[in-house]
C-alpha cells in the first residue's frame, strides 16, 4: 500500500488493530498515528539537530511505559545500539521505518509482525540503566527513516496529525463528545494506566481507568468494574468542582458538571 492509498484511507477514518486513526484532518496517513500525544515533548526535532543529532522527538514518560507501534510492520530489536541504547525498529510495508530508542525492555521477538498500536517494548532512559545509551532522563526517542534511508520527523510525516489533541468545546457548551473523551483517554493513559485507543469512544477500559483515578484522588469508594454509576460520577463532579463547577455532588452529570470536567481536560498537559 503506498502513501497515496494510505491517505485515501485516512479520509474514511479507519481503525486499525487497536491503534487509532482519526477522521479526515486528524491523521494524514491511515495505519499510522502518534502514540505519544499527551506526553510532554522534552526534546524537539530542532533541539536534536542543534546538538548534532540526526533528529528525533523525545517524549518524557516513566520508565516502563508501554510503547505502541506508530504503524504496523515487522519488528527488529537492536540491543545496545550505541548512544540510542536498546532500540526497536518497525519496518513498515511502505518502506518507511520507525525507531524507538533508550528502551528498558523488548517485548516482541525479532521478526515479529505487529499491528498499529501493538506494544513493541517498554520505555527507559534512566541515566546509566541497561539499554539507556546516552539518555540523561526517562523518555522515549522517536524518529522515522524514509525509504531512501534519511531520518525524518515523524510529526511531519503524520502531516500535522501528530501535534496533539484539539481542545474540547465541552468547556463552553457542556455537551460531552468524542473530542472530550479523547482528551479524557489521553489523561487517563498518562495518569491512570489506560492502554486502549484514543478514539473518543469510552468503553469499559476508559471507565475502569476513570474509576482508578477517582478512587486515588476524588473519593470514589466503589469497585473498578468499568461500569460507572452515581458514585463514579459524584467523584467526577468533585474533580469538576475543583475546576469551577458549583452545582450539587449528586452523581448526575449535567452541562455544568461536564463543563467543569472539560475545563480540567483542556489543560495543555493532556494535549
Ligand atoms: Zn532523542
Amino acid at each position: 500500500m503506498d502513501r497515496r492509498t494510505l491517505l485515501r484511507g485516512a479520509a474514511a477514518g479507519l481503525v486499525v488493530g487497536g491503534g487509532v486513526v482519526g477522521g479526515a484532518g486528524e491523521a494524514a496517513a491511515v495505519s499510522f498515528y502518534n502514540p505519544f500525544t499527551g506526553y510532554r515533548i522534552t526534546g524537539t526535532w530542532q533541539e536534536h539537530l542543534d546538538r548534532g543529532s540526526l533528529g528525533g522527538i523525545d517524549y518524557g514518560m516513566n520508565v516502563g511505559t508501554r510503547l505502541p507501534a506508530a504503524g504496523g510492520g515487522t519488528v527488529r530489536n537492536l540491543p545496545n545500539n550505541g548512544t540510542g541504547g536498546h532500540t526497536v525498529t518497525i519496518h513498515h510495508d511502505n518502506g518507511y521505518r520507525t525507531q524507538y530508542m533508550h528502551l528498558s525492555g523488548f517485548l516482541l521477538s525479532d521478526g515479529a509482525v505487529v499491528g498499529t498500536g501493538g506494544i513493541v517494548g517498554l520505555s527507559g532512559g534512566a541515566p546509566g540503566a541497561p539499554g539507556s545509551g546516552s539518555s540523561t532522563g526517562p523518555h522515549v526517542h522517536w524518529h522515522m527513516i524514509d525509504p531512501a534511508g534519511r531520518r525524518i520527523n515523524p510529526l511531519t510525516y503524520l502531516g500535522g496529525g501528530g501535534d496533539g489533541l484539539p481542545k474540547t468545546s465541552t468547556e463552553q457548551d457542556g455537551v460531552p463528545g468524542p473530542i472530550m473523551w479523547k482528551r479524557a483517554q489521553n489523561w487517563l493513559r498518562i495518569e491512570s494506566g489506560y492502554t486502549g485507543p484514543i478514539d473518543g469512544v469510552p468503553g469499559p477500559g476508559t471507565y475502569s481507568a476513570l474509576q482508578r483515578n477517582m478512587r486515588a484522588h476524588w473519593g470514589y469508594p466503589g469497585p473498578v468494574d468499568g461500569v460507572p454509576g452515581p458514585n463514579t460520577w459524584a467523584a467526577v463532579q468533585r474533580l469538576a468542582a475543583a475546576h469551577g463547577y458549583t452545582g450539587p455532588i449528586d452523581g448526575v452529570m449535567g452541562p455544568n458538571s461536564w463543563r467543569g470536567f472539560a475545563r480540567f481536560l483542556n489543560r495543555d498537559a493532556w494535549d
Side-chain angles (χ1 to χ4, degrees), residues 156-182:
T156 303
Y157 178 83
L158 290 168
D163 291 341
L165 298 172
K167 307 295 188 190
T168 173
S169 60
T170 308
E171 184 176 345
Q172 286 77 42
D173 61 24
V175 179
I179 299 295
M180 190 208 80
W181 280 112
K182 283 186 182 183

Side-chain angles (χ1 to χ4, degrees), residues 43 48 51 53 55-58 102 139-142:
H48 280 77
R51 62 173 183 255
S53 160
I57 308 283
D58 294 337
H102 315 303
H139 76 283
V140 65
H141 167 111
W142 179 25

Side-chain angles (χ1 to χ4, degrees), residues 6 32 44 61 68 74 81 89 96 108 151 191 194 214 257:
L6 296 174
F32 281 91
T44 65
M61 59 184 67
T74 303
N81 179 34
T89 307
Y96 285 78
L108 300 178
R151 201 183 275 203
E191 295 242 303
Y194 173 66
M214 292 301 108
S257 301

Side-chain angles (χ1 to χ4, degrees), residues 58-74:
D58 294 337
Y59 288 93
M61 59 184 67
N62 294 333
V63 170
T65 299
R66 293 147 57 91
L67 302 174
T74 303

